[in-house]
Amino acid sequence: MSDVAARPNYDLRDEIKAYWSARAATFDLSPGHEIFSEEERAAWHTLFLRHLGEGAGRSALDLASGTGVVSHLLDDLGFRVTGLDWAEPMLELARRKATARGRNISFRIGDAENTMELDGQYDVVVNRHLVWTLVAPAAAFKEWLRVLKPGGRLLIVDGDFVNTNRLERFFSALNAWGQRLGLLKPDAPSLSREMMNTHRSILSRVHFSHGARADAVVDLLRAAGFVDIEVDTDLHDIHRTQAKNWNFFKGLARRSQHRYAIAASKPKEAA
């Protein structure tokens, strides 16, 4: 008999999948999800080149690829890209976008925490805004180490979206006040109350329910076997270009958050 229903957090994982499936239709309308300018695209390229180098035909796995935004950035740089996501509506949009842009990117359904990919298959594994949603990050990081080739690189782009500092709270309050009065434009398509409640419920039960701080992520990566781990908080160019698509206070609030990129390597000689 299958053990699926008895797996720990099965219900939570099912909820996460359903939530992002429902978000697919409006995902690309939000700044910070899709890229809205060539200036922002260039800023992302700079970050990827800094930690991954040129693609040069190397294989890259984009985990929780969504509508393919990161996959396209990697493709721009010459990587041979596979995008993996478990929300079929996201994959449908990603495939449609790749076809429209004439991109040769493979998008297929799969679980970022249990990829079912072959051992040592990829030169690079990348994900954006995935780690904070993980149910079992320690196991996921071991999985990502497994699918990397010896010497392969991992790049995580994420942040702590739970703990807010004084500056962020101040700018967020001004943003909310300005929107209520109709003085500021909305940040993005608004979520229904039901979707907002679902988001809060999910966030309260994932591993990083108290916030995905960079040091906590690093500790788990090191325990999984990654080496040469580097935390990069120099995302200012990306945030500056994104801020042009938000109102003034929303842009300042975002730049005040604890956001980071973490690069790490699989040892060149497997342990």
Side-chain angles (χ1 to χ4, degrees):
M1 186 174 69
S2 170
D3 68 341
V4 171
R7 289 178 193 169
N9 292 305
Y10 170 74
D11 289 340
L12 174 57
R13 291 167 56 79
D14 213 33
E15 286 181 49
I16 294 171
K17 181 177 180 179
Y19 174 80
W20 288 111
S21 294
R23 288 287 305 274
T26 59
F27 187 83
D28 281 348
L29 300 178
S30 299
H33 290 173
E34 180 57 285
I35 291 171
F36 288 87
S37 71
E38 290 306 308
E39 188 181 12
E40 182 186 351
R41 188 179 307 280
W44 280 105
H45 288 163
T46 297
L47 177 70
F48 286 2
L49 288 169
R50 188 156 71 229
H51 296 291
L52 304 175
E54 293 282 357
R58 291 183 294 150
S59 56
L61 179 62
D62 176 15
L63 291 170
S65 54
T67 63
V69 177
V70 169
S71 294
H72 282 258
L73 292 169
L74 293 167
D75 185 71
D76 292 342
L77 298 176
F79 286 94
R80 183 165 41 87
V81 186
T82 297
L84 206 67
D85 203 286
W86 63 358
E88 188 61 47
M90 289 283 193
L91 290 171
E92 289 176 8
L93 290 170
R95 292 172 184 136
R96 198 180 309 157
K97 189 190 299 184
T99 298
R101 295 179 180 176
R103 301 300 186 97
N104 185 26
I105 303 172
S106 173
F107 289 104
R108 55 177 182 258
I109 198 158
D111 181 353
E113 297 193 45
N114 182 24
T115 67
M116 305 299 288
E117 298 291 315
L118 298 175
D119 291 357
Q121 187 172 0
Y122 292 97
D123 295 289
V124 163
V125 171
V126 178
N127 57 77
R128 181 184 69 164
H129 301 168
L130 166 64
V131 165
W132 73 270
T133 72
L134 293 175
V135 173
F141 294 167
K142 290 178 182 178
E143 171 73 354
W144 303 352
L145 187 78
R146 181 186 67 78
V147 303
L148 277 170
K149 297 176 182 178
R153 293 285 281 172
L154 169 69
L155 182 63
I156 291 168
V157 181
D158 226 288
D160 178 358
F161 308 124
V162 176
N163 299 294
T164 56
N165 59 48
R166 199 172 289 177
L167 261 182
E168 183 186 350
R169 290 193 295 273
F170 175 68
F171 292 134
S172 293
L174 289 176
N175 173 42
W177 174 80
Q179 287 193 47
R180 281 197 303 271
L181 294 181
L183 302 175
L184 299 174
K185 67 180 181 179
D187 306 332
S190 58
L191 296 180
S192 68
R193 184 177 298 276
E194 180 183 4
M195 288 289 283
M196 291 176 64
N197 288 338
T198 298
H199 182 275
R200 292 191 193 98
S201 174
I202 289 171
L203 181 56
S204 72
R205 289 176 288 150
V206 294
H207 178 88
F208 290 113
S209 60
H210 298 296
R213 306 297 294 181
D215 55 353
V217 176
V218 166
D219 288 344
L220 290 174
L221 287 171
R222 189 174 290 114
F226 282 96
V227 297
D228 301 327
I229 303 172
E230 176 187 356
V231 178
D232 183 354
T233 58
D234 184 12
L235 308 183
H236 303 301
D237 285 346
I238 293 172
H239 296 157
R240 176 178 54 79
T241 59
Q242 290 175 339
K244 294 179 181 181
N245 299 291
W246 285 310
N247 67 62
F248 179 69
F249 294 119
K250 171 65 176 179
L252 289 175
R254 188 177 183 89
R255 293 170 70 174
S256 302
Q257 290 177 324
H258 176 63
R259 291 175 176 262
Y260 50 80
I262 299 177
S265 296
K266 182 172 181 173
K268 292 183 179 179
E269 295 299 327

mmCIF file of all heavy atoms in Angstrom, residues 173-211:
data_model
loop_
_atom_site.group_PDB
_atom_site.id
_atom_site.type_symbol
_atom_site.label_atom_id
_atom_site.label_comp_id
_atom_site.label_asym_id
_atom_site.label_seq_id
_atom_site.Cartn_x
_atom_site.Cartn_y
_atom_site.Cartn_z
ATOM 1 N N ALA A 173 4.147 50.913 6.128
ATOM 2 C CA ALA A 173 2.992 51.628 6.665
ATOM 3 C C ALA A 173 2.655 52.844 5.797
ATOM 4 O O ALA A 173 1.478 53.113 5.515
ATOM 5 C CB ALA A 173 3.276 52.063 8.099
ATOM 6 N N LEU A 174 3.682 53.575 5.349
ATOM 7 C CA LEU A 174 3.447 54.720 4.467
ATOM 8 C C LEU A 174 2.858 54.269 3.130
ATOM 9 O O LEU A 174 1.971 54.916 2.570
ATOM 10 C CB LEU A 174 4.759 55.475 4.232
ATOM 11 C CG LEU A 174 5.310 56.260 5.423
ATOM 12 C CD1 LEU A 174 6.660 56.860 5.067
ATOM 13 C CD2 LEU A 174 4.339 57.365 5.854
ATOM 14 N N ASN A 175 3.342 53.130 2.642
ATOM 15 C CA ASN A 175 2.825 52.575 1.393
ATOM 16 C C ASN A 175 1.346 52.226 1.537
ATOM 17 O O ASN A 175 0.514 52.578 0.688
ATOM 18 C CB ASN A 175 3.644 51.337 1.007
ATOM 19 C CG ASN A 175 3.064 50.611 -0.181
ATOM 20 O OD1 ASN A 175 2.634 51.225 -1.160
ATOM 21 N ND2 ASN A 175 3.055 49.294 -0.124
ATOM 22 N N ALA A 176 1.004 51.523 2.625
ATOM 23 C CA ALA A 176 -0.390 51.125 2.845
ATOM 24 C C ALA A 176 -1.288 52.356 3.008
ATOM 25 O O ALA A 176 -2.406 52.401 2.465
ATOM 26 C CB ALA A 176 -0.479 50.236 4.080
ATOM 27 N N TRP A 177 -0.803 53.336 3.744
ATOM 28 C CA TRP A 177 -1.569 54.568 3.943
ATOM 29 C C TRP A 177 -1.821 55.275 2.610
ATOM 30 O O TRP A 177 -2.942 55.687 2.299
ATOM 31 C CB TRP A 177 -0.805 55.480 4.907
ATOM 32 C CG TRP A 177 -1.412 56.833 5.093
ATOM 33 C CD1 TRP A 177 -2.473 57.176 5.886
ATOM 34 C CD2 TRP A 177 -0.974 58.057 4.478
ATOM 35 N NE1 TRP A 177 -2.727 58.519 5.806
ATOM 36 C CE2 TRP A 177 -1.830 59.089 4.944
ATOM 37 C CE3 TRP A 177 0.047 58.376 3.583
ATOM 38 C CZ2 TRP A 177 -1.672 60.406 4.532
ATOM 39 C CZ3 TRP A 177 0.205 59.686 3.175
ATOM 40 C CH2 TRP A 177 -0.661 60.680 3.657
ATOM 41 N N GLY A 178 -0.775 55.393 1.797
ATOM 42 C CA GLY A 178 -0.907 56.064 0.515
ATOM 43 C C GLY A 178 -1.839 55.347 -0.443
ATOM 44 O O GLY A 178 -2.594 55.976 -1.190
ATOM 45 N N GLN A 179 -1.825 54.008 -0.401
ATOM 46 C CA GLN A 179 -2.721 53.250 -1.267
ATOM 47 C C GLN A 179 -4.177 53.391 -0.822
ATOM 48 O O GLN A 179 -5.075 53.505 -1.660
ATOM 49 C CB GLN A 179 -2.311 51.782 -1.292
ATOM 50 C CG GLN A 179 -1.035 51.518 -2.079
ATOM 51 C CD GLN A 179 -0.819 50.040 -2.343
ATOM 52 O OE1 GLN A 179 -1.715 49.337 -2.755
ATOM 53 N NE2 GLN A 179 0.395 49.575 -2.090
ATOM 54 N N ARG A 180 -4.389 53.380 0.499
ATOM 55 C CA ARG A 180 -5.762 53.533 1.004
ATOM 56 C C ARG A 180 -6.371 54.862 0.577
ATOM 57 O O ARG A 180 -7.564 54.951 0.282
ATOM 58 C CB ARG A 180 -5.783 53.406 2.524
ATOM 59 C CG ARG A 180 -5.728 51.979 3.040
ATOM 60 C CD ARG A 180 -6.155 51.899 4.497
ATOM 61 N NE ARG A 180 -5.349 52.747 5.356
ATOM 62 C CZ ARG A 180 -4.216 52.360 5.939
ATOM 63 N NH1 ARG A 180 -3.757 51.131 5.749
ATOM 64 N NH2 ARG A 180 -3.552 53.196 6.722
ATOM 65 N N LEU A 181 -5.538 55.904 0.536
ATOM 66 C CA LEU A 181 -6.020 57.228 0.157
ATOM 67 C C LEU A 181 -6.029 57.441 -1.357
ATOM 68 O O LEU A 181 -6.444 58.505 -1.840
ATOM 69 C CB LEU A 181 -5.152 58.305 0.808
ATOM 70 C CG LEU A 181 -5.225 58.396 2.334
ATOM 71 C CD1 LEU A 181 -4.317 59.526 2.831
ATOM 72 C CD2 LEU A 181 -6.658 58.631 2.800
ATOM 73 N N GLY A 182 -5.555 56.443 -2.085
ATOM 74 C CA GLY A 182 -5.520 56.561 -3.540
ATOM 75 C C GLY A 182 -4.400 57.439 -4.049
ATOM 76 O O GLY A 182 -4.405 57.862 -5.210
ATOM 77 N N LEU A 183 -3.407 57.730 -3.205
ATOM 78 C CA LEU A 183 -2.295 58.591 -3.594
ATOM 79 C C LEU A 183 -1.159 57.806 -4.251
ATOM 80 O O LEU A 183 -0.329 58.399 -4.954
ATOM 81 C CB LEU A 183 -1.746 59.331 -2.366
ATOM 82 C CG LEU A 183 -2.749 60.206 -1.610
ATOM 83 C CD1 LEU A 183 -2.099 60.770 -0.349
ATOM 84 C CD2 LEU A 183 -3.251 61.332 -2.514
ATOM 85 N N LEU A 184 -1.114 56.498 -3.986
ATOM 86 C CA LEU A 184 -0.049 55.653 -4.516
ATOM 87 C C LEU A 184 -0.646 54.511 -5.308
ATOM 88 O O LEU A 184 -1.715 53.993 -4.966
ATOM 89 C CB LEU A 184 0.809 55.090 -3.367
ATOM 90 C CG LEU A 184 1.530 56.107 -2.482
ATOM 91 C CD1 LEU A 184 2.204 55.403 -1.316
ATOM 92 C CD2 LEU A 184 2.553 56.901 -3.298
ATOM 93 N N LYS A 185 0.073 54.091 -6.342
ATOM 94 C CA LYS A 185 -0.418 52.985 -7.152
ATOM 95 C C LYS A 185 -0.250 51.666 -6.402
ATOM 96 O O LYS A 185 0.658 51.525 -5.571
ATOM 97 C CB LYS A 185 0.330 52.926 -8.484
ATOM 98 C CG LYS A 185 1.812 52.566 -8.371
ATOM 99 C CD LYS A 185 2.476 52.519 -9.740
ATOM 100 C CE LYS A 185 3.953 52.122 -9.610
ATOM 101 N NZ LYS A 185 4.623 52.056 -10.928
ATOM 102 N N PRO A 186 -1.103 50.681 -6.683
ATOM 103 C CA PRO A 186 -0.976 49.374 -6.030
ATOM 104 C C PRO A 186 0.357 48.721 -6.373
ATOM 105 O O PRO A 186 0.927 48.966 -7.440
ATOM 106 C CB PRO A 186 -2.149 48.576 -6.613
ATOM 107 C CG PRO A 186 -3.110 49.597 -7.114
ATOM 108 C CD PRO A 186 -2.280 50.760 -7.549
ATOM 109 N N ASP A 187 0.837 47.884 -5.447
ATOM 110 C CA ASP A 187 2.115 47.203 -5.658
ATOM 111 C C ASP A 187 2.043 46.203 -6.800
ATOM 112 O O ASP A 187 2.967 46.054 -7.598
ATOM 113 C CB ASP A 187 2.515 46.412 -4.395
ATOM 114 C CG ASP A 187 2.526 47.275 -3.162
ATOM 115 O OD1 ASP A 187 2.762 48.483 -3.281
ATOM 116 O OD2 ASP A 187 2.283 46.727 -2.083
ATOM 117 N N ALA A 188 0.930 45.452 -6.862
ATOM 118 C CA ALA A 188 0.785 44.323 -7.771
ATOM 119 C C ALA A 188 -0.676 43.913 -7.724
ATOM 120 O O ALA A 188 -1.445 44.450 -6.910
ATOM 121 C CB ALA A 188 1.689 43.170 -7.321
ATOM 122 N N PRO A 189 -1.089 42.980 -8.584
ATOM 123 C CA PRO A 189 -2.471 42.484 -8.478
ATOM 124 C C PRO A 189 -2.758 42.017 -7.054
ATOM 125 O O PRO A 189 -1.980 41.252 -6.469
ATOM 126 C CB PRO A 189 -2.489 41.316 -9.462
ATOM 127 C CG PRO A 189 -1.440 41.653 -10.458
ATOM 128 C CD PRO A 189 -0.359 42.339 -9.686
ATOM 129 N N SER A 190 -3.837 42.488 -6.481
ATOM 130 C CA SER A 190 -4.130 42.161 -5.089
ATOM 131 C C SER A 190 -4.649 40.737 -4.963
ATOM 132 O O SER A 190 -5.332 40.220 -5.846
ATOM 133 C CB SER A 190 -5.157 43.136 -4.517
ATOM 134 O OG SER A 190 -6.346 43.098 -5.292
ATOM 135 N N LEU A 191 -4.277 40.110 -3.850
ATOM 136 C CA LEU A 191 -4.753 38.762 -3.555
ATOM 137 C C LEU A 191 -6.079 38.850 -2.810
ATOM 138 O O LEU A 191 -6.317 39.786 -2.046
ATOM 139 C CB LEU A 191 -3.735 38.016 -2.695
ATOM 140 C CG LEU A 191 -2.362 37.737 -3.314
ATOM 141 C CD1 LEU A 191 -1.502 36.994 -2.305
ATOM 142 C CD2 LEU A 191 -2.479 36.948 -4.603
ATOM 143 N N SER A 192 -6.909 37.859 -3.024
ATOM 144 C CA SER A 192 -8.153 37.796 -2.264
ATOM 145 C C SER A 192 -7.844 37.532 -0.799
ATOM 146 O O SER A 192 -6.749 37.067 -0.446
ATOM 147 C CB SER A 192 -9.040 36.672 -2.812
ATOM 148 O OG SER A 192 -8.449 35.410 -2.541
ATOM 149 N N ARG A 193 -8.800 37.831 0.052
ATOM 150 C CA ARG A 193 -8.603 37.561 1.477
ATOM 151 C C ARG A 193 -8.329 36.078 1.718
ATOM 152 O O ARG A 193 -7.501 35.711 2.551
ATOM 153 C CB ARG A 193 -9.838 38.010 2.268
ATOM 154 C CG ARG A 193 -9.696 37.861 3.785
ATOM 155 C CD ARG A 193 -10.910 38.395 4.496
ATOM 156 N NE ARG A 193 -11.093 39.817 4.248
ATOM 157 C CZ ARG A 193 -10.469 40.760 4.945
ATOM 158 N NH1 ARG A 193 -9.617 40.436 5.907
ATOM 159 N NH2 ARG A 193 -10.709 42.036 4.684
ATOM 160 N N GLU A 194 -9.025 35.228 0.966
ATOM 161 C CA GLU A 194 -8.829 33.776 1.115
ATOM 162 C C GLU A 194 -7.405 33.383 0.762
ATOM 163 O O GLU A 194 -6.772 32.603 1.481
ATOM 164 C CB GLU A 194 -9.819 33.021 0.227
ATOM 165 C CG GLU A 194 -9.682 31.503 0.324
ATOM 166 C CD GLU A 194 -10.634 30.768 -0.614
ATOM 167 O OE1 GLU A 194 -11.349 31.438 -1.391
ATOM 168 O OE2 GLU A 194 -10.653 29.533 -0.577
ATOM 169 N N MET A 195 -6.874 33.945 -0.343
ATOM 170 C CA MET A 195 -5.503 33.627 -0.744
ATOM 171 C C MET A 195 -4.497 34.164 0.267
ATOM 172 O O MET A 195 -3.493 33.506 0.575
ATOM 173 C CB MET A 195 -5.228 34.198 -2.129
ATOM 174 C CG MET A 195 -5.937 33.477 -3.251
ATOM 175 S SD MET A 195 -5.228 31.824 -3.546
ATOM 176 C CE MET A 195 -3.738 32.252 -4.418
ATOM 177 N N MET A 196 -4.740 35.344 0.799
ATOM 178 C CA MET A 196 -3.841 35.903 1.810
ATOM 179 C C MET A 196 -3.834 35.038 3.063
ATOM 180 O O MET A 196 -2.775 34.786 3.657
ATOM 181 C CB MET A 196 -4.257 37.328 2.146
ATOM 182 C CG MET A 196 -4.024 38.317 1.022
ATOM 183 S SD MET A 196 -4.621 39.984 1.403
ATOM 184 C CE MET A 196 -3.563 40.428 2.776
ATOM 185 N N ASN A 197 -5.000 34.554 3.459
ATOM 186 C CA ASN A 197 -5.077 33.683 4.633
ATOM 187 C C ASN A 197 -4.369 32.357 4.375
ATOM 188 O O ASN A 197 -3.715 31.807 5.273
ATOM 189 C CB ASN A 197 -6.536 33.439 5.014
ATOM 190 C CG ASN A 197 -7.194 34.665 5.613
ATOM 191 O OD1 ASN A 197 -6.510 35.561 6.115
ATOM 192 N ND2 ASN A 197 -8.518 34.720 5.573
ATOM 193 N N THR A 198 -4.495 31.848 3.156
ATOM 194 C CA THR A 198 -3.809 30.604 2.803
ATOM 195 C C THR A 198 -2.299 30.798 2.872
ATOM 196 O O THR A 198 -1.569 29.952 3.401
ATOM 197 C CB THR A 198 -4.212 30.141 1.390
ATOM 198 O OG1 THR A 198 -5.617 29.887 1.367
ATOM 199 C CG2 THR A 198 -3.458 28.880 0.994
ATOM 200 N N HIS A 199 -1.838 31.930 2.347
ATOM 201 C CA HIS A 199 -0.410 32.236 2.386
ATOM 202 C C HIS A 199 0.096 32.285 3.825
ATOM 203 O O HIS A 199 1.136 31.697 4.161
ATOM 204 C CB HIS A 199 -0.160 33.565 1.682
ATOM 205 C CG HIS A 199 1.282 33.969 1.625
ATOM 206 N ND1 HIS A 199 1.903 34.634 2.660
ATOM 207 C CD2 HIS A 199 2.222 33.795 0.674
ATOM 208 C CE1 HIS A 199 3.157 34.849 2.350
ATOM 209 N NE2 HIS A 199 3.382 34.358 1.142
ATOM 210 N N ARG A 200 -0.628 32.981 4.678
ATOM 211 C CA ARG A 200 -0.214 33.087 6.086
ATOM 212 C C ARG A 200 -0.201 31.720 6.755
ATOM 213 O O ARG A 200 0.697 31.409 7.544
ATOM 214 C CB ARG A 200 -1.152 34.029 6.838
ATOM 215 C CG ARG A 200 -1.069 35.484 6.423
ATOM 216 C CD ARG A 200 -1.831 36.367 7.391
ATOM 217 N NE ARG A 200 -2.025 37.711 6.861
ATOM 218 C CZ ARG A 200 -3.120 38.135 6.264
ATOM 219 N NH1 ARG A 200 -4.175 37.322 6.154
ATOM 220 N NH2 ARG A 200 -3.204 39.369 5.804
ATOM 221 N N SER A 201 -1.201 30.907 6.458
ATOM 222 C CA SER A 201 -1.283 29.575 7.056
ATOM 223 C C SER A 201 -0.108 28.710 6.636
ATOM 224 O O SER A 201 0.511 28.026 7.459
ATOM 225 C CB SER A 201 -2.602 28.905 6.656
ATOM 226 O OG SER A 201 -2.650 27.570 7.109
ATOM 227 N N ILE A 202 0.216 28.750 5.352
ATOM 228 C CA ILE A 202 1.350 27.972 4.853
ATOM 229 C C ILE A 202 2.638 28.461 5.498
ATOM 230 O O ILE A 202 3.449 27.659 5.994
ATOM 231 C CB ILE A 202 1.432 28.069 3.314
ATOM 232 C CG1 ILE A 202 0.285 27.282 2.674
ATOM 233 C CG2 ILE A 202 2.778 27.560 2.813
ATOM 234 C CD1 ILE A 202 0.149 27.499 1.176
ATOM 235 N N LEU A 203 2.839 29.763 5.498
ATOM 236 C CA LEU A 203 4.064 30.328 6.055
ATOM 237 C C LEU A 203 4.246 29.967 7.524
ATOM 238 O O LEU A 203 5.370 29.766 7.987
ATOM 239 C CB LEU A 203 4.054 31.848 5.878
ATOM 240 C CG LEU A 203 5.278 32.608 6.378
ATOM 241 C CD1 LEU A 203 6.541 32.073 5.738
ATOM 242 C CD2 LEU A 203 5.127 34.101 6.088
ATOM 243 N N SER A 204 3.142 29.826 8.249
ATOM 244 C CA SER A 204 3.244 29.508 9.681
ATOM 245 C C SER A 204 3.675 28.070 9.934
ATOM 246 O O SER A 204 4.033 27.725 11.059
ATOM 247 C CB SER A 204 1.899 29.777 10.368
ATOM 248 O OG SER A 204 0.939 28.794 10.005
ATOM 249 N N ARG A 205 3.667 27.223 8.889
ATOM 250 C CA ARG A 205 3.937 25.798 9.097
ATOM 251 C C ARG A 205 5.158 25.257 8.362
ATOM 252 O O ARG A 205 5.540 24.108 8.577
ATOM 253 C CB ARG A 205 2.702 24.989 8.690
ATOM 254 C CG ARG A 205 1.526 25.154 9.661
ATOM 255 C CD ARG A 205 0.302 24.417 9.171
ATOM 256 N NE ARG A 205 -0.306 25.086 8.025
ATOM 257 C CZ ARG A 205 -0.983 24.459 7.066
ATOM 258 N NH1 ARG A 205 -1.109 23.149 7.091
ATOM 259 N NH2 ARG A 205 -1.522 25.139 6.066
ATOM 260 N N VAL A 206 5.769 26.046 7.492
ATOM 261 C CA VAL A 206 6.973 25.572 6.825
ATOM 262 C C VAL A 206 8.149 25.621 7.800
ATOM 263 O O VAL A 206 8.054 26.180 8.894
ATOM 264 C CB VAL A 206 7.278 26.418 5.562
ATOM 265 C CG1 VAL A 206 6.198 26.222 4.513
ATOM 266 C CG2 VAL A 206 7.447 27.894 5.914
ATOM 267 N N HIS A 207 9.276 25.045 7.385
ATOM 268 C CA HIS A 207 10.435 24.964 8.271
ATOM 269 C C HIS A 207 10.887 26.358 8.727
ATOM 270 O O HIS A 207 11.175 26.578 9.903
ATOM 271 C CB HIS A 207 11.593 24.260 7.553
ATOM 272 C CG HIS A 207 12.847 24.184 8.371
ATOM 273 N ND1 HIS A 207 13.105 23.153 9.248
ATOM 274 C CD2 HIS A 207 13.909 25.037 8.471
ATOM 275 C CE1 HIS A 207 14.264 23.352 9.838
ATOM 276 N NE2 HIS A 207 14.769 24.490 9.392
ATOM 277 N N PHE A 208 10.954 27.292 7.774
ATOM 278 C CA PHE A 208 11.421 28.644 8.101
ATOM 279 C C PHE A 208 10.251 29.549 8.457
ATOM 280 O O PHE A 208 10.184 30.705 8.005
ATOM 281 C CB PHE A 208 12.214 29.213 6.922
ATOM 282 C CG PHE A 208 13.546 28.548 6.711
ATOM 283 C CD1 PHE A 208 13.778 27.780 5.578
ATOM 284 C CD2 PHE A 208 14.566 28.679 7.642
ATOM 285 C CE1 PHE A 208 15.000 27.167 5.371
ATOM 286 C CE2 PHE A 208 15.803 28.061 7.452
ATOM 287 C CZ PHE A 208 16.017 27.299 6.305
ATOM 288 N N SER A 209 9.358 29.057 9.280
ATOM 289 C CA SER A 209 8.194 29.845 9.680
ATOM 290 C C SER A 209 8.587 31.096 10.462
ATOM 291 O O SER A 209 7.823 32.060 10.520
ATOM 292 C CB SER A 209 7.239 28.991 10.516
ATOM 293 O OG SER A 209 7.882 28.512 11.683
ATOM 294 N N HIS A 210 9.782 31.084 11.045
ATOM 295 C CA HIS A 210 10.253 32.249 11.798
ATOM 296 C C HIS A 210 11.219 33.095 10.969
ATOM 297 O O HIS A 210 11.870 33.993 11.509
ATOM 298 C CB HIS A 210 10.915 31.812 13.099
ATOM 299 C CG HIS A 210 9.982 31.092 14.033
ATOM 300 N ND1 HIS A 210 8.878 31.696 14.596
ATOM 301 C CD2 HIS A 210 9.968 29.805 14.466
ATOM 302 C CE1 HIS A 210 8.232 30.821 15.355
ATOM 303 N NE2 HIS A 210 8.866 29.671 15.282
ATOM 304 N N GLY A 211 11.290 32.800 9.675
ATOM 305 C CA GLY A 211 12.134 33.592 8.781
ATOM 306 C C GLY A 211 13.359 32.836 8.306
ATOM 307 O O GLY A 211 14.049 32.196 9.107
#
